[in-house]
Amino acid sequence: MAPVNDPHWIIHLPTTLTRVDEVAALAMALRRSLGHVLAIDFGEATLSEEDRQFLRTRVWCDHPMPGGGRCARRSDHLGGCSEAADVVDDSARQAPEG
């Protein structure tokens, strides 16, 4: 096991997508598909425009939950946190522009 102070690495994975909602959907699909891979910390996933990578948008809430888990809901979710990624409460969320 590596010492705690070893640096962690980030994978920057460019896409051909041009809308933030499409990129967020891709991130969710990757989480569903690769969530079993313990080396990937999906809770810390962020999105950024290609030419503005210093401005990042979190994908998931990742708030600590009782018992040691983390909230798996979208970062802008309404209502309470949940460790279940499939919890949806979009009733008051505005539709994306476009």
Side-chain angles (χ1 to χ4, degrees):
M1 185 168 193
V4 175
N5 53 353
D6 279 354
H8 292 188
W9 289 87
I10 306 295
I11 298 172
H12 299 277
L13 184 64
T15 73
T16 59
L17 301 172
T18 59
R19 292 175 41 140
V20 69
D21 58 327
E22 293 173 337
V23 178
L26 176 59
M28 287 184 251
L30 289 171
R31 183 181 198 169
R32 281 191 302 275
S33 176
L34 298 172
H36 65 282
V37 179
L38 300 178
I40 303 172
D41 185 359
F42 282 100
E44 293 293 325
T46 58
L47 309 174
S48 67
E49 291 182 37
E50 181 178 25
D51 293 331
R52 297 171 62 187
Q53 294 183 29
F54 56 91
L55 294 175
R56 297 176 181 238
T57 301
R58 290 185 64 85
V59 180
W60 289 282
C61 173
D62 206 37
H63 182 80
M65 300 288 294
R70 294 207 169 263
C71 179
R73 297 185 68 191
R74 290 285 307 268
S75 63
D76 57 351
H77 72 79
L78 302 174
C81 290
S82 172
E83 291 184 55
D86 58 345
V87 174
V88 178
D89 181 12
D90 291 342
S91 59
R93 187 181 304 164
Q94 293 181 341
E97 294 180 22

